[in-house]
Each structure stands twice: as structure tokens, then as C-alpha cells.
Amino acid sequence: MNFLQVKNRANKTIQLPTGDEFKRDFADKQGSKAANTASSYHYKRYLADQGLMTKDVIRALGYDPSEIGRLQTRELLENDGTKPLFNAIVESGLRQGWEKGSNWQALVASSVNSDQLSQQYYYLDADDEDDYELRDVGQGAPIPVGTIKLGDNSIKMSKRGRGIEWTDEAKRANIDMVRLWLGKLGRQLGRQYENVAVQRLLNGYFASGEDSPRTLGIQTAGDLSLADIFYGSAFMEQEMGFSPKMAIMNLETAYRITTLRDGDAYIYRNEIQNGQFADVVNSPPFISSQVPDNRIVLVDTDYALVRYEGKPFGVESERSAKTQVEGSYGTEISEFVTFEKDARLVLTLDTAR
């Protein structure tokens, strides 16, 4: 049996099998499906269990990690021992766009791991608006409590992803070029993912509307003022018990706020001169085309939205013998769900309160 000598972070030499032996060892430790699809997620787990990282393997193969982009795709993809390594590189490229080319993380209070694709919905039952407050308790009297209950509806995870395919002839492309394509695909995936998160904040998850946000008009329909935004923020704090930390709106609404006037003068003259949008609730507006005109979503990002994760982001391979096309496909299984219904408020600028 041939081995690849790889040094781990503790400077200990690890022997990794190569070729067909690697695939068998990978399947024994991570499962046959992971081996057959050259799963990047399971490959990184396989290495981590031995104190290794992908860059350690790259060095052991005789490549400088900073120069691996010069390799042709086929040099890694056509070898059973390095195909998972190639998919790990693909994952890194997609993840760059998915995580850094979009802003969905800024909308999520927490990510919750789930070991099933249909997740039960739990909520804190509040009989009245004072259930979250500390109350005086008389001697011997029961302590007031809120009750965590199981909802009637369940949350079904969605599988989302993007991939890249090439014919045998196209495998001459070097990895640096592939990375550019991956960054673009990852960014598209991230923007679509961001759109889903905004839709959940705007409309809720359940078709019944049970987790839809409350709405609030402004003083004079169609005539937005700074006082209306202040009133909406104060209403959310005083009446709903949450503090807005972000305002989500479309480009037209952000422009409308930034160009508000006091008489003949722009209120946000400095921002306009600096090419910036005016801050709303003490932060730059989160601009999304998913929000209609005349709507602003005020969000307490500490409590409004959670992300259930059924399968972490990873890349797998598949080849069609008929078309001679092979691809690497990045997917994850998750869903965005509201956590606290009243942790967001929709200002309706075309209606009066």
C-alpha cells in the first residue's frame, strides 16, 4: 500500500493512503456516500480527526498552497486521492461568495443545528404582555412563569445550492480561473439566501400567518418624516418590548430617506456629499429588493430570526457517463424561521396610523 506522508499541527507524521486505498479508508471512516461523491465536508472531518488540514495535504503533495491555483483542474479531479481535496478548494471558493458576498448573517440571531429535515417549532407561550417582566411575588405565592410549548406546525428544511460543471476537455482550465467562477456562483447563492431571510422577516415562515409581523402606519400617509421613524422605533421599544437595531428597505426608500429636506436644505447633506445613505435606527440601512416600496422593516436582530441547519455547506462530485460531464455541487440544507414575532415591525409609509 502506498502512503502520503503528512505532518500535522503537532509535527507528527500521519500516513494517508493514496489512490483506491484512500477511497476505501475514507469510506470506512466517513461512509460510502461521502467517498463516492468526494464530499468536501466529510473530507475535512476525515483530516481533522487526524489533526490535519487541507493545506497540510497540499504541501505533502509537493505544492505551495499559495500557488496551487496554477494547477490544471484535471490534476486533482481525476485522482481518487485528490478529488475530495479539489472539492474542498471548490467549497472554499463558493463559501467566499456565499458568506462574504452577501449579508444574510447580519439578519440571523443564531444558527441552530438540527439532526432531522423536519424540525418541530417551539415557542414561549405568553398569556399577556407582562409575561417577560419581573414581578413581585408574595410570600408563599407561586412564581409566575412562561411556558415553552410545541407548535402545531413543523418546519421543513430546504436544500439550496449551486454547482459548476465541465467537460473532459475543459479540465485544462487552471484552478485560479475556476476560483473566479466559484466566487461568482457563491455570491449568487449568498444573495438568493439573503433574499429568503428578508422574506421571512417581512412575511414570516408559516402560511397561516401566525408569525407575520405587526404593521404601523405613519402620521400622514405618503409623507414620510424623521419623526415617523422615531415614533416607529419608540413604539417597538415601548409597546412590543424589542429594540430595533436594523432597518430593511429597498433602494428607492433608502434614497427617499437620505434626500429628506428641512425646508430647502437636505437634512443629510454630509451623507449625500460622501456618497452614503443616511443611517436609520443608528445603523446603515439594509437594502433589499425583496421589500416593496413604502415599507420599512425594523428588526431587533438579537431575537427576530433563527436559522435551522440540517446539513452544513459542503461540495460533492457527480459524473455523467452519457454526457462526459462532471461537476462539483455545493449544497446545504437549512431554513430561516422567526424566533420572536414582535422582534420586527413593518412601517407602512402609504397608510396613516
Side-chain angles (χ1 to χ4, degrees), residues 39-335:
S39 165
S40 67
Y41 170 73
H42 290 91
Y43 181 62
K44 290 191 292 185
R45 285 182 55 183
Y46 171 82
L47 294 179
D49 288 345
Q50 302 174 79
L52 298 173
M53 301 172 67
T54 55
K55 63 182 180 181
D56 299 324
V57 178
I58 292 171
R59 289 194 184 96
L61 289 169
Y63 304 119
D64 185 331
S66 64
E67 297 180 353
I68 195 170
R70 300 177 184 179
L71 291 176
Q72 288 186 359
T73 297
R74 67 176 61 207
E75 293 184 55
L76 297 180
L77 190 57
E78 294 183 349
N79 184 317
D80 281 343
T82 56
K83 184 181 287 189
L85 174 61
F86 176 75
N87 279 343
I89 294 171
V90 171
E91 179 189 332
S92 177
L94 283 173
R95 192 180 288 278
Q96 282 283 329
W98 181 57
E99 293 183 343
K100 298 182 181 179
S102 69
N103 297 308
W104 61 265
Q105 297 97 325
L107 304 174
V108 177
S110 179
S111 285
V112 180
N113 292 326
S114 175
D115 59 359
Q116 50 194 345
L117 300 185
S118 181
Q119 169 70 44
Q120 292 300 117
Y121 181 59
Y122 296 89
Y123 67 97
L124 181 62
D125 185 42
D127 293 330
D128 59 62
E129 61 183 15
D130 296 328
D131 266 1
Y132 292 110
E133 297 180 0
L134 291 175
R135 283 175 273 177
D136 292 333
V137 180
Q139 185 173 355
I143 298 174
V145 298
T147 305
I148 294 178
K149 293 185 176 181
L150 188 64
D152 295 329
N153 297 318
S154 61
I155 301 155
K156 293 183 179 179
M157 304 287 179
S158 298
K159 185 175 184 178
R160 302 181 179 91
R162 294 298 295 261
I164 186 168
E165 296 178 338
W166 44 81
T167 62
D168 289 346
E169 294 79 9
K171 292 177 186 176
R172 294 188 180 92
N174 67 34
I175 292 173
D176 272 339
M177 182 176 290
V178 173
R179 278 175 171 160
L180 292 175
W181 291 324
L182 295 173
K184 178 181 178 181
L185 290 175
R187 180 179 174 83
Q188 291 172 342
L189 175 60
R191 293 298 291 271
Q192 292 168 2
Y193 204 58
E194 177 185 303
N195 289 345
V196 175
V198 172
Q199 283 289 340
R200 297 292 183 264
L201 290 169
L202 182 63
N203 301 311
Y205 172 80
F206 298 109
S208 63
E210 65 184 82
D211 60 339
S212 296
R214 295 169 67 175
T215 62
L216 180 71
I218 60 176
Q219 184 174 28
T220 304
D223 187 16
L224 176 67
S225 69
L226 288 181
D228 290 314
I229 298 175
F230 165 77
Y231 185 93
S233 299
F235 181 90
M236 190 171 170
E237 290 187 6
Q238 297 299 316
E239 302 297 327
M240 300 168 65
F242 293 93
S243 300
K245 298 176 179 63
M246 179 182 291
I248 309 175
M249 65 197 76
N250 66 20
L251 180 61
E252 184 62 33
T253 304
Y255 172 80
R256 183 177 170 186
I257 292 173
T258 304
T259 55
L260 286 173
R261 292 173 179 260
D262 181 8
D264 294 331
Y266 286 112
I267 295 175
Y268 295 107
R269 179 180 177 182
N270 290 337
E271 283 81 357
I272 293 173
Q273 289 178 333
N274 293 329
Q276 300 172 341
F277 287 108
D279 282 2
V280 184
V281 294
N282 297 318
S283 67
F286 190 106
I287 297 175
S288 172
S289 62
Q290 301 302 298
V291 181
D293 288 339
N294 293 314
R295 297 292 184 270
I296 298 174
V297 188
L298 300 181
V299 182
D300 187 336
T301 51
D302 289 339
Y303 299 101
L305 194 69
V306 294
R307 171 178 172 265
Y308 289 101
E309 183 180 72
K311 172 186 172 296
F313 190 81
V315 173
E316 298 175 343
S317 285
E318 186 175 288
R319 177 179 175 82
S320 169
K322 182 177 179 180
T323 62
Q324 298 294 296
V325 169
E326 186 159 7
S328 293
Y329 308 92
T331 61
E332 59 87 46
I333 298 175
S334 66
E335 192 51 82

